[in-house]
PDB file of all heavy atoms in Angstrom:
ATOM      1  N   PHE A  58     117.823  96.429 126.993  1.00  0.00           N
ATOM      2  CA  PHE A  58     118.140  94.986 127.172  1.00  0.00           C
ATOM      3  C   PHE A  58     118.903  94.500 125.984  1.00  0.00           C
ATOM      4  O   PHE A  58     119.974  93.933 126.196  1.00  0.00           O
ATOM      5  CB  PHE A  58     116.804  94.143 127.349  1.00  0.00           C
ATOM      6  CG  PHE A  58     117.026  92.697 127.199  1.00  0.00           C
ATOM      7  CD1 PHE A  58     117.552  92.026 128.270  1.00  0.00           C
ATOM      8  CD2 PHE A  58     116.746  92.056 126.065  1.00  0.00           C
ATOM      9  CE1 PHE A  58     117.778  90.654 128.175  1.00  0.00           C
ATOM     10  CE2 PHE A  58     116.884  90.650 125.935  1.00  0.00           C
ATOM     11  CZ  PHE A  58     117.450  89.929 126.969  1.00  0.00           C
ATOM     12  N   TYR A  59     118.421  94.787 124.815  1.00  0.00           N
ATOM     13  CA  TYR A  59     119.150  94.372 123.618  1.00  0.00           C
ATOM     14  C   TYR A  59     120.544  95.021 123.453  1.00  0.00           C
ATOM     15  O   TYR A  59     121.422  94.420 122.877  1.00  0.00           O
ATOM     16  CB  TYR A  59     118.297  94.483 122.388  1.00  0.00           C
ATOM     17  CG  TYR A  59     117.143  93.511 122.339  1.00  0.00           C
ATOM     18  CD1 TYR A  59     115.829  93.978 122.568  1.00  0.00           C
ATOM     19  CD2 TYR A  59     117.370  92.192 122.251  1.00  0.00           C
ATOM     20  CE1 TYR A  59     114.779  93.037 122.582  1.00  0.00           C
ATOM     21  CE2 TYR A  59     116.284  91.275 122.225  1.00  0.00           C
ATOM     22  CZ  TYR A  59     115.036  91.670 122.438  1.00  0.00           C
ATOM     23  OH  TYR A  59     113.970  90.785 122.401  1.00  0.00           O
ATOM     24  N   ALA A  60     120.606  96.237 123.856  1.00  0.00           N
ATOM     25  CA  ALA A  60     121.932  96.939 123.757  1.00  0.00           C
ATOM     26  C   ALA A  60     122.910  96.279 124.715  1.00  0.00           C
ATOM     27  O   ALA A  60     124.059  96.150 124.379  1.00  0.00           O
ATOM     28  CB  ALA A  60     121.655  98.433 124.163  1.00  0.00           C
ATOM     29  N   ILE A  61     122.475  95.878 125.879  1.00  0.00           N
ATOM     30  CA  ILE A  61     123.363  95.111 126.824  1.00  0.00           C
ATOM     31  C   ILE A  61     123.788  93.803 126.221  1.00  0.00           C
ATOM     32  O   ILE A  61     125.003  93.431 126.315  1.00  0.00           O
ATOM     33  CB  ILE A  61     122.677  94.961 128.167  1.00  0.00           C
ATOM     34  CG1 ILE A  61     122.573  96.238 128.838  1.00  0.00           C
ATOM     35  CG2 ILE A  61     123.472  93.973 129.046  1.00  0.00           C
ATOM     36  CD1 ILE A  61     121.733  96.230 130.182  1.00  0.00           C
ATOM     37  N   VAL A  62     122.901  93.068 125.568  1.00  0.00           N
ATOM     38  CA  VAL A  62     123.233  91.798 125.027  1.00  0.00           C
ATOM     39  C   VAL A  62     124.267  92.024 123.858  1.00  0.00           C
ATOM     40  O   VAL A  62     125.263  91.327 123.679  1.00  0.00           O
ATOM     41  CB  VAL A  62     121.980  91.092 124.351  1.00  0.00           C
ATOM     42  CG1 VAL A  62     122.406  89.842 123.574  1.00  0.00           C
ATOM     43  CG2 VAL A  62     121.029  90.707 125.531  1.00  0.00           C
ATOM     44  N   SER A  63     124.052  93.049 122.999  1.00  0.00           N
ATOM     45  CA  SER A  63     124.970  93.381 121.938  1.00  0.00           C
ATOM     46  C   SER A  63     126.338  93.789 122.464  1.00  0.00           C
ATOM     47  O   SER A  63     127.342  93.332 121.963  1.00  0.00           O
ATOM     48  CB  SER A  63     124.366  94.500 121.097  1.00  0.00           C
ATOM     49  OG  SER A  63     125.160  94.811 119.937  1.00  0.00           O
ATOM     50  N   MET A  64     126.379  94.622 123.452  1.00  0.00           N
ATOM     51  CA  MET A  64     127.674  94.986 124.071  1.00  0.00           C
ATOM     52  C   MET A  64     128.343  93.902 124.690  1.00  0.00           C
ATOM     53  O   MET A  64     129.566  93.772 124.642  1.00  0.00           O
ATOM     54  CB  MET A  64     127.413  96.163 125.025  1.00  0.00           C
ATOM     55  CG  MET A  64     127.055  97.483 124.441  1.00  0.00           C
ATOM     56  SD  MET A  64     126.950  98.821 125.611  1.00  0.00           S
ATOM     57  CE  MET A  64     125.608  98.385 126.639  1.00  0.00           C
ATOM     58  N   THR A  65     127.643  92.957 125.334  1.00  0.00           N
ATOM     59  CA  THR A  65     128.271  91.728 125.851  1.00  0.00           C
ATOM     60  C   THR A  65     128.897  90.909 124.770  1.00  0.00           C
ATOM     61  O   THR A  65     130.055  90.373 124.959  1.00  0.00           O
ATOM     62  CB  THR A  65     127.223  90.907 126.644  1.00  0.00           C
ATOM     63  OG1 THR A  65     126.606  91.741 127.676  1.00  0.00           O
ATOM     64  CG2 THR A  65     127.798  89.654 127.191  1.00  0.00           C
ATOM     65  N   CYS A  66     128.239  90.810 123.638  1.00  0.00           N
ATOM     66  CA  CYS A  66     128.873  90.109 122.512  1.00  0.00           C
ATOM     67  C   CYS A  66     130.139  90.813 122.071  1.00  0.00           C
ATOM     68  O   CYS A  66     131.136  90.133 121.754  1.00  0.00           O
ATOM     69  CB  CYS A  66     127.830  90.014 121.319  1.00  0.00           C
ATOM     70  SG  CYS A  66     126.518  88.887 121.543  1.00  0.00           S
ATOM     71  N   PHE A  67     130.154  92.085 121.993  1.00  0.00           N
ATOM     72  CA  PHE A  67     131.381  92.821 121.575  1.00  0.00           C
ATOM     73  C   PHE A  67     132.495  92.565 122.626  1.00  0.00           C
ATOM     74  O   PHE A  67     133.673  92.364 122.237  1.00  0.00           O
ATOM     75  CB  PHE A  67     131.138  94.303 121.523  1.00  0.00           C
ATOM     76  CG  PHE A  67     130.223  94.718 120.399  1.00  0.00           C
ATOM     77  CD1 PHE A  67     129.306  95.708 120.572  1.00  0.00           C
ATOM     78  CD2 PHE A  67     130.169  94.020 119.207  1.00  0.00           C
ATOM     79  CE1 PHE A  67     128.388  96.143 119.587  1.00  0.00           C
ATOM     80  CE2 PHE A  67     129.230  94.431 118.183  1.00  0.00           C
ATOM     81  CZ  PHE A  67     128.425  95.449 118.339  1.00  0.00           C
ATOM     82  N   TYR A  68     132.130  92.547 123.898  1.00  0.00           N
ATOM     83  CA  TYR A  68     133.173  92.256 124.904  1.00  0.00           C
ATOM     84  C   TYR A  68     133.715  90.868 124.757  1.00  0.00           C
ATOM     85  O   TYR A  68     134.905  90.669 124.793  1.00  0.00           O
ATOM     86  CB  TYR A  68     132.488  92.342 126.356  1.00  0.00           C
ATOM     87  CG  TYR A  68     133.385  91.927 127.389  1.00  0.00           C
ATOM     88  CD1 TYR A  68     134.304  92.761 127.970  1.00  0.00           C
ATOM     89  CD2 TYR A  68     133.329  90.574 127.871  1.00  0.00           C
ATOM     90  CE1 TYR A  68     135.235  92.298 128.871  1.00  0.00           C
ATOM     91  CE2 TYR A  68     134.227  90.141 128.845  1.00  0.00           C
ATOM     92  CZ  TYR A  68     135.174  91.016 129.429  1.00  0.00           C
ATOM     93  OH  TYR A  68     135.993  90.657 130.323  1.00  0.00           O
ATOM     94  N   LEU A  69     132.841  89.882 124.561  1.00  0.00           N
ATOM     95  CA  LEU A  69     133.285  88.456 124.371  1.00  0.00           C
ATOM     96  C   LEU A  69     134.140  88.281 123.136  1.00  0.00           C
ATOM     97  O   LEU A  69     135.136  87.501 123.102  1.00  0.00           O
ATOM     98  CB  LEU A  69     132.133  87.463 124.262  1.00  0.00           C
ATOM     99  CG  LEU A  69     131.340  87.356 125.564  1.00  0.00           C
ATOM    100  CD1 LEU A  69     130.023  86.484 125.422  1.00  0.00           C
ATOM    101  CD2 LEU A  69     132.231  86.663 126.686  1.00  0.00           C
TER     102      LEU A  69
END
Side-chain angles (χ1 to χ4, degrees):
F58 171 76
Y59 289 111
I61 289 170
V62 173
S63 183
M64 289 186 297
T65 301
C66 287
F67 295 145
Y68 173 85
L69 291 172

